[in-house]
Amino acid sequence: MTTAAVYVALGSNVGDRAAHLAYARQRLARLPQTRVLAVSTVEETAPLGGVAQGPYLNQMALLETALDPAALLSQLLAIEAERGRDRAATARWGPRTLDLDIVRYGDRVIAEPHLTIPHPELPHRDFWQRELAELDVLVPHG
């Protein structure tokens, strides 16, 4: 079974933000063929985009998984839905109970209509850069 190191960003700015992140961490730990290697500290950040909304709590998880990128994405979308996220009804860059993004999947580069890896916003999100750096210190790999 081949595994990959995968970075997943967690974010929430609706309701009990900390509880949404805790739920996501618990669910990530229960994904098939996956284990959580480490999580970054939680950071509060200002929202991005032009939609008026409250601040986010953000965190990054480092997973080791045998799930392929599409299967992992499907699992992440299901976890979001469990917390009440309806992507079809949510404005792009709008508020959300839970947002889970695959930021990196090993050294894979994917450009598909519903999945781009590395995440295209990675260079523009300073907090993701900090979280990745923190995880790389906690779990050196390569």
Side-chain angles (χ1 to χ4, degrees):
M1 171 170 64
T2 303
T3 61
V6 179
Y7 294 87
V8 175
L10 294 67
S12 175
N13 78 334
V14 173
D16 188 338
R17 302 172 303 161
H20 292 310
L21 295 188
Y23 180 86
R25 290 189 305 269
Q26 292 167 1
R27 286 288 282 113
L28 290 172
R30 295 195 326 256
L31 289 177
Q33 304 174 51
T34 302
R35 68 186 181 117
V36 177
L37 299 178
V39 293
S40 71
T41 55
V42 174
E43 180 176 357
E44 187 171 72
T45 63
L48 301 172
V51 178
Q53 57 188 307
Y56 277 81
L57 287 185
N58 291 287
Q59 184 173 43
M60 187 81 63
L62 173 57
L63 312 179
E64 180 180 68
T65 188
L67 295 174
D68 66 54
L72 179 59
L73 177 61
S74 178
Q75 293 281 338
L76 298 181
L77 294 175
I79 295 168
E80 288 180 352
E82 290 167 14
R83 295 309 274 189
R85 172 115 188 244
D86 180 357
R87 281 183 172 256
T90 305
R92 179 171 167 81
W93 303 94
R96 56 207 65 184
T97 53
L98 185 60
D99 187 28
L100 300 174
D101 292 313
I102 301 172
V103 175
R104 286 189 184 148
Y105 188 101
D107 59 2
R108 300 275 301 265
V109 175
I110 300 171
E112 297 175 356
H114 298 294
L115 181 60
T116 303
I117 297 173
H119 194 288
E121 293 300 317
L122 177 56
H124 311 292
R125 297 193 178 163
D126 292 343
F127 58 95
W128 280 3
Q129 302 294 331
R130 288 189 296 273
E131 293 162 357
L132 288 170
E134 179 184 347
L135 290 174
D136 285 342
V137 168
L138 291 173
V139 185
H141 62 278

